Amino acid sequence: MRQGCISLGEVRCGDCHRIIPHSERYLVIEETEGVILRLCVDCCLKKGYAHYKEEKKEKVLTFFIE
Ligand SMILES: [Zn+2]
């Protein structure tokens, strides 16, 4: 299960381990056996879990949600 969330400033990325700043979006991935992985936008883009699409000349971030 994947779910897009918005950081309240106390979230750490499970991959690059940086703190995800307040109001930045991140992705929650629930893996098997209830393991929760949180990924910052950069890591999502790197892993192909998110992409930017252009909409009315603005870049809009979209998460791939299952
Ligand atoms: Zn990261």
Side-chain angles (χ1 to χ4, degrees), residues 2-64:
R2 292 183 206 159
Q3 194 181 352
C5 294
I6 297 189
S7 173
L8 297 175
E10 289 170 15
V11 182
R12 192 180 287 269
C13 175
D15 195 64
C16 66
H17 303 294
R18 75 177 176 101
I19 298 275
I20 300 167
H22 188 275
S23 80
E24 194 175 299
R25 292 173 68 191
Y26 67 100
L27 187 67
V28 175
I29 301 170
E30 194 180 331
E31 298 184 315
T32 47
E33 294 165 31
V35 177
I36 305 284
L37 183 66
R38 295 173 180 84
L39 289 179
C40 70
V41 169
D42 287 346
C43 292
C44 287
L45 291 168
K46 255 189 290 176
K47 291 170 183 290
Y49 291 154
H51 74 136
Y52 279 109
K53 66 173 179 183
E54 226 148 297
E55 228 169 61
K56 296 172 193 138
K57 292 181 184 168
E58 262 181 58
K59 275 191 168 183
V60 179
L61 180 77
T62 306
F63 288 124
F64 295 116

